[in-house]
Amino acid sequence: MKMHTLGHDFVPDPIHAGGLRYHGMSPLVSHIYELGLIEAVAKPQSECFAAGVQFARAEGIVPAPEPTHAIAACIEEALRCKETGEEKVILTAVCGHAHLDLPAYGRYLAGEMEDLELTSERIEAALATLPEHAR
């Protein structure tokens, strides 16, 4: 199966969710994305850390930064359902804990979290380095 990628030479911004700083999606995730079974959503890290704090207060578990992206999307979907009255089961997975990421949460809570945006120019530049068959 093919894997969506920005190329192995791509160097992402230094966001706190280190596991998300990879240049590609797994082949399985790429495949189900191509089938239209999932959609990709980008979230700024300050929104993700806010979701992590909300989750920790509700569930008693401080999540690692990586799953907070999914948690933020789940919260957004739940609020949309609340607004529209739609009943929906929302499922996500939470992996890891934030024991090693507490300084990052501290930076967020101190208002020192910086949101970095991957521009379309950087994406296009990265894709331009890939072989034609890989684009």
Side-chain angles (χ1 to χ4, degrees):
M1 285 188 276
K2 290 185 176 183
M3 177 181 88
H4 286 278
T5 183
L6 291 173
H8 70 277
D9 292 332
F10 179 76
V11 178
D13 292 323
I15 62 171
H16 287 283
L20 299 180
R21 290 194 313 256
Y22 182 62
H23 63 80
M25 290 194 302
S26 76
L28 179 58
V29 172
S30 295
H31 182 66
I32 63 175
Y33 174 81
E34 286 301 315
L35 293 175
L37 299 174
I38 62 171
E39 59 187 65
V41 178
K43 296 281 183 196
Q45 64 181 353
S46 61
E47 180 183 345
C48 298
F49 273 88
V53 170
Q54 184 176 350
F55 184 86
R57 288 179 175 150
E59 301 299 327
I61 301 167
V62 181
E66 290 82 356
T68 63
H69 292 255
I71 294 168
C74 289
I75 291 170
E76 180 181 55
E77 186 65 20
L79 292 173
R80 186 175 15 260
C81 289
K82 182 178 179 181
E83 186 177 298
T84 65
E86 178 184 4
E87 291 188 24
K88 183 183 274 189
V89 174
I90 302 169
L91 174 70
T92 191
V94 177
C95 59
H97 54 74
H99 294 166
L100 300 176
D101 302 296
L102 292 178
Y105 273 95
R107 287 192 61 225
Y108 166 73
L109 293 170
E112 299 170 357
M113 184 68 58
E114 182 182 357
D115 284 328
L116 303 169
E117 185 176 333
L118 182 59
T119 64
S120 57
E121 291 82 13
R122 282 191 62 206
I123 293 170
E124 292 302 320
L127 293 175
T129 66
L130 298 176
E132 189 65 38
H133 70 277
R135 292 184 205 166

